[in-house]
Amino acid sequence: MAIVTPLKTAAEQQLVQQYADSKAALPGSPAMRELREQAFAGFEARGLPHRRLESWRYTDLRALLREARPLAGAGAATAAVKARLEALGLEGLRLVLIDGVFAPELSSLDAIPEGVSVQSLAEALASPREGLARVLSGPSVAADDAGLMLNTALMRDGVFIEIAEGRNLEQPILIVSLASGEEERAVFHRSVVLAAQGSRATIVEVSEAAADAAQQINGAIVFETGDESEIQHVRIVTRQQAATVEVQSLLATVGAQAKFDSFALVANAGTVRQQHFIRFAGEHSEIGLRGVNLLGGAQHSDVTLVVDHEVPHGTSRELFKTIAGGQSTGVFQGKVIVRPHAQKTDGGMKSNALLLNDGATMYNKPELEIFADDVVCGHGATVAQIDGEQLFYLMARGLPRPQAEALVLQAFAGEAVEFVADENLRNWVMREVEAWLQAREAASEVSTV
């Protein structure tokens, strides 16, 4: 019998060589090195994700990555990086990554509250901590993802956060990931948040690439939340060069009688793939996944999620809003799995998209896999244009068309933004939405002159 060996692309060959050249210098204990080897072997067998894989059908990473950028080193705290941090406008405990490497000199480590410990992921990987490999691996539904395997193999740094039992954090923890300079680089980072029983916290991720260099970013964050905990997660992906390709993975294991909410905003980005792997590990818990994608030009935003109801009495809600103009592409792939013993599951999934012109595209693919009989689950997906009656109502009262459209779009996006629990953070997210809409409004006014 002939053995067929798939041909590797130039990027895949380069990644194989990069791993071989760098693995000895990557941080980690012997157990972590073994985890890296296993992950890279899995990636090498599968290669870069491509359109023949159902879960990557609409985002062909193999075609997008013609060449693998050189791996980023420790980034410098340039004047541009410091200026961007000052302009961020968010209050909270700030933890900064430059090119994926933790930068303690730019982080507010002196403000860490009692009951919270923070260290770089590199330090955590090098420690003999028991069970770290299990935590890093996340839910089992993420095990076969080649993009995540590549992150596991090449992750260099990130932050490792532990929140003590019963601790209620009044201010958000900000994980700010910035690019340092003009060179095109590949960045691999991962962060971990362990929230003990009864803890309450808000974790904010801000990901910005260099404005004048195309980056290849593969990031991940892992949550493991204890019983009766309440965790809010917000991710902002913005201010990227158009050719930047970013894959961001969210892995969460949620305990009993707990609440976990995640919201993501994508605006002014290049090609972004956000993938969520969520597992109910305890009964009577609530999970909410929501987001807004603001797309123009040739931008591409892919939201792919798997919610695994392993236990009974779980409630999950997913709501994603996409506004697409130009030649942009939006993608929503949602899968809710209800295991045989997960009776009394309540799941609802919805994707709504507005296409601003004929060149924009939206793909919706919601799925339910239900193996239990006493459940309430449903999904819905819509793709439409701006409601003409709403526009007429506003324009009849004297608003120019660009302003009328902006008001309609703001209300459309706001339906998802309102689920951000922290008021200051919700207002900050809404200002980002309004800034995108104002820029579009200004461009519309110029084009009509």
Side-chain angles (χ1 to χ4, degrees), residues 47-258:
L48 287 167
H50 50 82
R51 67 179 65 234
R52 292 186 180 181
L53 298 175
E54 190 64 25
S55 60
W56 287 82
R57 180 178 177 183
Y58 305 107
T59 304
D60 191 337
L61 206 59
R62 181 175 290 176
L64 286 167
L65 301 184
R66 296 297 184 181
E67 293 186 0
R69 300 282 183 257
L71 298 179
T78 62
V81 167
K82 294 177 180 179
R84 183 56 205 143
L85 286 173
E86 291 298 322
L88 195 58
L90 270 175
E91 295 184 358
L93 171 61
R94 191 172 66 190
L95 307 174
V96 181
L97 306 178
I98 303 179
D99 296 337
V101 178
F102 183 50
E105 70 279 9
L106 297 178
S107 303
S108 52
L109 298 181
D110 54 346
I112 296 176
E114 184 180 353
V116 177
S117 68
V118 175
Q119 64 180 149
S120 72
L121 183 71
E123 293 174 344
L125 293 176
S127 70
R129 184 189 185 103
E130 210 172 305
L132 183 56
R134 176 193 58 76
V135 171
L136 288 169
S137 298
S140 59
V141 290
D144 293 330
D145 185 77
L148 193 58
M149 290 176 180
L150 191 60
N151 179 275
T152 301
L154 291 171
M155 59 182 175
R156 176 170 180 178
D157 206 355
V159 293
F160 194 96
I161 303 167
E162 293 182 273
I163 305 171
E165 182 176 344
R167 191 71 178 90
N168 185 4
L169 302 187
E170 296 180 358
Q171 283 194 315
I173 296 177
L174 314 177
I175 303 173
V176 185
S177 179
L178 302 175
S180 62
E182 300 177 356
E183 295 183 345
E184 298 181 348
R185 288 289 182 262
V187 176
F188 294 86
H189 63 84
R190 184 176 299 196
S191 294
V192 176
V193 179
L194 302 181
Q197 180 176 355
S199 58
R200 288 167 174 76
T202 298
I203 310 296
V204 182
E205 288 185 279
V206 179
S207 178
E208 296 186 10
D212 48 3
Q215 311 291 328
Q216 294 174 355
I217 303 170
N218 189 325
I221 188 166
V222 183
F223 286 90
E224 194 165 286
T225 71
D227 298 346
E228 302 175 354
S229 60
E230 292 186 15
I231 302 298
Q232 169 98 42
H233 168 248
V234 175
R235 172 184 288 148
I236 310 296
V237 181
T238 185
R239 294 177 180 84
Q240 293 184 346
Q241 205 269 354
T244 291
V245 178
E246 180 164 358
V247 177
Q248 289 286 353
S249 302
L250 166 64
L251 301 92
T253 301
V254 181
Q257 302 180 59

Side-chain angles (χ1 to χ4, degrees), residues 297-313:
Q299 295 165 2
H300 179 107
S301 178
D302 177 345
V303 176
T304 296
L305 60 90
V306 182
V307 178
D308 190 358
H309 286 264
E310 284 194 357
V311 296
H313 301 282

Side-chain angles (χ1 to χ4, degrees), residues 348-364:
M349 179 167 48
K350 185 186 296 185
S351 169
N352 301 129
L354 289 179
L355 303 185
L356 304 180
N357 53 264
D358 292 340
T361 305
M362 182 70 196
Y363 297 100
N364 280 312

